[in-house]
Amino acid sequence: MRLLQNLLSPASPGAGGLTVLLLLLDLITPAATVKHENFKTCSQSGFCRRNRAFADDAIAAGDKWSSPYEVKEDTIALQNGVLTAEILKTVPGLQEKVVLPLTIKFHKTGAVRVTIDELKRQKGEIELKGQSKARKERYHETERWALVPDWDIRDEKVVYDNRKGQITLKFGPESKYKAIVTANPFSVKFERDGETHIVFNDRGLMNVEHWRPQPPAPEEGKEKSPEDLDGGWDETFGGNTDTKPRGPEAIALDITFPGYEHVYGIPSHATSLSLKTTKGGDGAYSEPYRLYNADVFEYIVDSPMTLYGSIPFMQAHRKGSSVGVLWLNAAETWVDVVKEKPKKILPIGGKSEDTKTHWISESGLLDVWVFLGPDPATLYTSYGALTGYTKMPPSFAIAYHQCRWNYVSQEDVKDVNKKFDKHDIPYDVIWLDIEYTDGKRYFTFDPLTFPDPMSMMKNADKTERKVVLIIDPHIKNTENYDIVDELKSKDLAVKDKDGNIYEGWCWPGSSHWVDAFNPAAFEWWNSLFTFDRFKGTTKNTFIWNDMNEPSVFNGPETTMPKDNIHFDNWEHRDVHNLNGMTFMNATHQALEARQDSKGRTQRSFVLTRAFFAGAQRLGAMWTGDNEAKWEHLQAAFPMLLSQGVAGFPFSGADVGGFFGNPSKELLTRWYQSGIWYPFFRAHAHIDAKRREPYIAGDPYTRIIREAVRLRYALLPAWYTAFHRASQDGMPILRPNFVVHPDDEEGFALDDQAYLGDTGILVKPVVSEGVETVDIHLGDNEVYYDYWTYKIYQGKGLKNYPAPLDQMPVLMRGGHIIPRRDRHRRSSGLMKYDPFTLVVVLNDKGNAEGHLYHDDGESFDYQKGHYIHRKFTFDSATKSLSSTDLHQDPPTAEAYNKVVKSLLVEKILIVGVSKAIKASVLAKSKNKATILEDGKYRKASMVYTPAQDNTFGDTLLIRNPKVRIANDWTVYLDKKDAGGAVKDEL
Ligand code: NOJ
């Protein structure tokens, strides 16, 4: 195997080679399941163990417990929308109190930020253990990477009142929010419209581990000092010792959501959308949710175990309200979730339980943002105003991606390309995994297997297809490799605790890691992707960043030692969860900076495995190394819904399952599910059998083809949903609770979802041998089967036939769905295709929908080169009209010319008799009347009555030829079209 040859090549340093070889074999050979023993449990992680024990003691003490934190009232000040004060921590046996500076900042959107630092560390008045060069402060730069540059827009109209140890701050729109700070013991209550929604330190579990010198080891027979925290100065796990030069420095806080039974978010975990409790009991976990980006290959499902990426954003939801918190900390973090019957009277709409959470991070500031909703949409908008909205991707990126580890040669790539065309299955992107490189040297191609990458790129381009290449952050430590030479000579790599270049093991064997926290490394990385430098790449080459947690095969928990040092002397411990995102950011900027010979740039596409809050601004993520098993297919939907809730909706899971070989049925069902993933890519492990969709044979290939074609037909709807996400943070794939925020029965639903604003409701089949599914309808609106127009109506569960060749898809009345129905080989070839509008009438005979469209590749849309239409079907005038939603500036003239030829070829009205009687349609002599550019014309209509009243009837308007970019109205009844029509027609 080439992989092994590379490892054994003379360029690979010998020391440790065998151990790493074994480690590698371990990684590439599918094991029975994840190796649990490689990853810590809370009790194996010193700071988690300490803080959970602290919480257990506090809870056990009940009313006798008092939190040792108090606001020093004479330090309180409010200026320019920021409250500052000092919190004093009382430490038993210590005279002097620990000073913890507090700030509460109010953002113009109504979000509030509470930070707690530590004076001694702020001033650098602490001693480090040993020779460490680590910074002495608590890490305070998470905002630099996670938040948008202009995040600090203050609400300066905060009204402040300090009475008897209670400081009340009124803020937000119409000052209807309140933060009530109780001085002793310190707690903060957040109110909206007079009700409490979020409380900090409600249970007194707040804990800021202050700096202290390491106490000497206790004399024999004596007890150790209470300041000698267990695991505080060093910790060994799996043979690796973390030296912890700053000693214990964890921070923890309990956050209560009174009256909220459901919490969502904090991805990535292979768990349900509505988070389970973590302190034992029926169906509950016994471990907290862990957020510590790690290469957890072959992860198990239904687990709070950490995975590859972390977004510490949590949403609490109940009927009538949605609120959220962002725990802005990039160090290792654990979150306990419990639900309890409340002691107090519940707010209106509150169910029978409070959700109580406990957040614990190893280092850094205590830094929490609060968002008071009041509904999911507003919550996502205010969260996105801070961390940014989804990047508007190039349009190919939302089509179908074909990947495997590996397409082994240029010939292989060509062959796959040909076979897709032969079998009439559209695809947009072919992916090359690590084997394309010359011995795992990124930015090179294997000269034997990929001798002429340019011709490969050109071949793909003939059908508007793209090629994605993998580039990982580990750089091979070898001779005669310019990239590693530059990395070393420019001093841009991560250092070990002693300040030497860090060396670890990954795919290439001995490797070094790019330190993307270093601005100079960023600049250098950017220079590596220009078409001149990265030979063999062209405009249609894009990038996949894998292993950026970072994955280090011989590192603790398969990652980097926490005492490694990054730019500016920050410890890896502080920035671990940001690491993958900074690397992805460098790649994203590099791609956006690439210029063709005419100096033109284009939108980037980067796929990342590791991520943090804010990564949505840069590209897409996927859920890593899943397995070809039904339970992994089941796990994917909830995981992707959770990504959407946490503001990073451009997400997917390996279709078919990475490890193992799916049965033909599983593969087919996975495609039927995968076409609803915002990022839709099939992928397979190097040991897995080939499984490109044409291999299975009919009926499977035929069914998969139909599924992929549906994705392609709906690309205009997907692109419109991406556009909305890029504007206001609304998820692309929406769980029931987002669409029906008051439907309590549906709050935990995570196996069905809606596509954007289209009203399309899908419930993929994710179990073997299933012939029907139960779909939950969240309201009493009429729903139609996508294929047969059968009516489903009435809130609650509806049984839907789902044999292998039928995907459960419904259309909710009241929506208009834009489609493109012509079959092409790639989305690029659909550029000039006409549109179809599917108008699905609601019970009142009305419907509304949107279309966003631009060139799908350049940045011209930022200059107004796009169209944004609103379609409205009005039962009063029995007409469909298209109006402009374009915001300032209006559609650029140049772009108007480009889209001028884009027409609507079909309008299909489902449930048409909700708006107009069949007899009236007959009177119009089966012609629709069209008004466009001030002129009237006709188009033929075909009315298809329903077979009985359990189906919707349809009206097809053939070739109306209205321009997609234009204002127009299509009248079903000539009478409604106004006076002039008589003269003209
Ligand atoms: C791990 C990734 O998760 C997987 O998708 C990829 O194929 C392998 N690395 C090899 O690059």
Side-chain angles (χ1 to χ4, degrees), residues 295 308 405 433-434 470 472 507 544 546-547 609 622 624-625 654 658 681 683-684:
D295 186 354
Y308 308 88
W405 179 16
D433 209 321
I434 47 177
I470 198 167
D472 290 351
W507 300 126
W544 172 15
D546 186 18
M547 314 296 273
R609 195 170 69 173
W622 94 109
D625 298 351
D654 284 348
F658 180 65
R681 184 188 75 157
H683 186 33

Side-chain angles (χ1 to χ4, degrees), residues 14 19 27 78 269 289 701 734:
T19 336
L27 278 170
L78 179 76
H269 301 98
Y289 293 93
T701 297
R734 297 185 192 154

Side-chain angles (χ1 to χ4, degrees), residues 102-159:
L102 163 78
T103 65
I104 306 185
K105 272 191 184 177
F106 298 86
H107 192 262
K108 73 150 195 318
T109 57
V112 190
R113 180 187 202 176
V114 177
T115 56
I116 300 177
D117 204 338
E118 184 183 346
L119 194 61
K120 259 213 158 92
R121 295 193 203 246
Q122 242 181 15
K123 292 186 169 168
E125 290 171 354
I126 67 166
E127 285 153 35
L128 301 181
K129 259 179 51 193
Q131 302 301 311
S132 174
K133 300 259 177 338
R135 288 271 283 261
K136 294 182 171 178
E137 303 115 285
R138 289 181 172 273
Y139 185 65
H140 47 70
E141 294 188 357
T142 311
E143 66 188 39
R144 225 176 107 186
W145 308 100
L147 304 188
V148 293
D150 58 349
W151 65 267
D152 196 4
I153 307 172
R154 310 236 180 110
D155 172 0
E156 303 206 347
K157 292 197 209 109
V158 180
V159 181

